[in-house]
Amino acid sequence: MRKRQVVVRREEPSRCSTTSAQTITTVRYAECQKNHAASVGGYAVDGCREFMASGEEGTNGALTCAACGCHRNFHKREVETEVGYEHAAISSNGT
């Protein structure tokens, strides 16, 4: 079973508008980009395709990849943002 590290942030809409927007941002960490041959002047990556946390959220293991042992910062960060709008109905009788 594969573990995935997903962070979801929600921004609350402003209260002074009849149109409200909700933004959902999903962050995914893909292939490892750590250059393991940098010390000898070369370029070699380990082939890790996706970040899998080695521990539970809130622990140090959550930042270490179970597949390659690298820190999460070495993995390519992919951000997906969705924006949804809700329109409030305004009655014509003033209520």
Side-chain angles (χ1 to χ4, degrees), residues 13-21 84-88 90:
S14 62
R15 304 251 183 231
C16 58
S17 174
T18 59
T19 304
S20 62
Y85 292 96
E86 295 178 9
H87 298 282
I90 301 174

Side-chain angles (χ1 to χ4, degrees), residues 9 14-15 51 61 65 70 79-81 88:
R9 284 187 236 155
S14 62
R15 304 251 183 231
F51 177 80
C65 183
C70 295
V79 179
E80 182 179 311
T81 304

Side-chain angles (χ1 to χ4, degrees), residues 28-77:
R28 179 178 166 266
Y29 293 92
E31 68 270 0
C32 184
Q33 298 177 333
K34 182 177 181 180
N35 183 3
H36 293 276
S39 63
V40 293
Y43 182 77
V45 293
D46 58 12
C48 179
R49 302 291 296 169
E50 183 177 0
F51 177 80
M52 294 182 293
S54 62
E56 295 296 321
E57 187 68 31
T59 65
N60 287 338
L63 300 176
T64 304
C65 183
C68 65
C70 295
H71 192 274
R72 186 176 71 182
N73 288 344
F74 285 109
H75 289 259
K76 182 179 179 182
R77 185 174 190 233

Side-chain angles (χ1 to χ4, degrees), residues 7-11 23-27 79-82:
V7 178
V8 178
R9 284 187 236 155
R10 295 177 188 237
E11 295 178 6
T23 304
I24 300 173
T25 304
T26 305
V27 179
V79 179
E80 182 179 311
T81 304
E82 296 179 25

